[in-house]
Every structure is written in structure tokens, then in C-alpha cells.
Amino acid sequence: MKLILERNLDFRQFQNLIILTFITMMILLGMLNSVESNSYIFIKFVLIFLNILFVAILFTKKGLLFEKGKLFVCIFLLGFTVKKNLIKTSEFKEITLQKGKLSTNYAYSFDIKEFHNWEPDLNHSVTGFTIGMINENQKQKILMLTKPEKTKLAINFIVENTNLE
């Protein structure tokens, strides 16, 4: 059983990857329309490969997979499992949910006072929900999500398929 939850990238990563994809696509289209077809063929293939890779990364989603009695945190691409990490639930008894803020700030010149005065505040924060497991003396993170309805689906999926409560 698999449960595909939400986009694997946060807002800023997604935004930056769209910009990078647009730039590489424009360079590729410019090269295809202005340069002879035989010259720079290697660069054209690299740009085509990068565009396919960037678009594939844009469509990745994170989720959970229960297979052969084991729980995995996975990254999916169009429903297919790309990467999976085993979560050892046998050592833990309870499932926890922590609410917090996910914040990214791309103010690169914070250490340089002259640049910091005019640089805009690029902070973007969203509410994040961390699903984890606890025992008497240890904690382990399972997954971090940003949507409350997806968090409920993930918790129900974990409770139904494992021994966690």
C-alpha cells in the first residue's frame, strides 16, 4: 500500500527550480534557433537532459509505503517509487505530532552590513507538522508535512499499518 502525500520541495525550492528550468529552456531554444545543428551538440544534449531532470524534480512528491510488513518514507515520481527509506517502527510504541514553523530566508548578505541595509527580506514561513515516533528514552522523525489534512491521512496510514498508537 502506498500513500502519496504532497510536493517534495518547499515553496522557495520549487520557485527557484521553476526559474532555473525557464532559464535553461530559453538558452536551449536560443541555441536551437541560432546556432548550426552540428556545432555545440554536446551542450544541447546537456541542456535537454537538465530540463528533463528539472521538470522531473518539480513533479516529485513525498509519501509513505507499507511493503512486506515494513514502513518506508518514499519519494514518488508520477506514482513510481524513486527513493525509499526504511523506518524501523519495532522499537517504538507511540506516534507524535509536533506543530511548528518552517522558515527559509534567502538573505545572503546578512553578515555584510553594507549590503544588509538594502536587501529585501526574503523570508517565507509556513506551518509544518512533524510526525515522529517516541519511546521512553528516544525519538525519531518520520515525516514533515505542511498540510493538516495530509497529516491526518499520514497518521491514519501509519496507525493502520504498524503497531504504533
Side-chain angles (χ1 to χ4, degrees):
M1 294 178 61
K2 66 181 172 183
L3 177 65
I4 300 174
L5 294 167
E6 64 183 32
R7 187 172 60 212
N8 189 34
L9 304 174
D10 68 14
F11 176 76
R12 290 291 183 191
Q13 291 171 334
F14 190 77
Q15 181 183 20
N16 290 340
L17 196 55
I18 285 177
I19 293 168
L20 188 60
T21 304
F22 178 76
I23 290 169
T24 56
M25 184 64 75
M26 289 297 112
I27 292 171
L28 177 64
L29 290 175
M31 287 183 74
L32 290 175
N33 290 325
S34 65
V35 180
E36 289 181 17
S37 60
N38 293 339
S39 61
Y40 304 109
I41 193 87
F42 178 73
I43 295 174
K44 291 177 187 177
F45 281 124
V46 169
L47 287 172
I48 290 170
F49 174 75
L50 286 176
N51 278 306
I52 292 170
L53 180 68
F54 293 157
V55 170
I57 292 172
L58 286 172
F59 285 107
T60 58
K61 294 186 179 262
K62 57 185 162 185
L64 298 168
L65 175 69
F66 189 74
E67 185 178 78
K68 299 177 184 172
K70 297 178 181 176
L71 181 67
F72 296 93
V73 174
C74 299
I75 296 175
F76 297 100
L77 177 62
L78 303 174
F80 298 104
T81 305
V82 176
K83 179 185 172 189
K84 62 183 180 179
N85 294 329
L86 176 66
I87 303 296
K88 296 179 182 177
T89 59
S90 60
E91 304 168 359
F92 298 93
K93 295 179 181 177
E94 295 180 2
I95 191 167
T96 64
L97 179 66
Q98 292 179 336
K99 182 179 178 182
K101 286 279 186 190
L102 294 174
S103 180
T104 55
N105 190 359
Y106 290 97
Y108 298 114
S109 65
F110 187 74
D111 294 333
I112 304 170
K113 187 176 181 180
E114 290 79 20
F115 292 134
H116 183 65
N117 293 334
W118 59 267
E119 187 175 43
D121 184 18
L122 301 174
N123 190 21
H124 177 77
S125 62
V126 294
T127 303
F129 302 96
T130 303
I131 302 171
M133 303 177 292
I134 59 170
N135 206 351
E136 288 88 26
N137 55 1
Q138 60 187 22
K139 281 173 42 173
Q140 183 179 351
K141 175 184 159 187
I142 297 176
L143 188 62
M144 182 176 286
L145 302 169
T146 57
K147 298 177 183 170
E149 60 273 3
K150 298 291 184 177
T151 305
K152 290 178 186 175
L153 286 173
I155 290 173
N156 291 337
F157 183 83
I158 294 169
V159 169
E160 289 173 7
N161 294 310
T162 64
N163 59 348
L164 297 173
E165 299 175 357

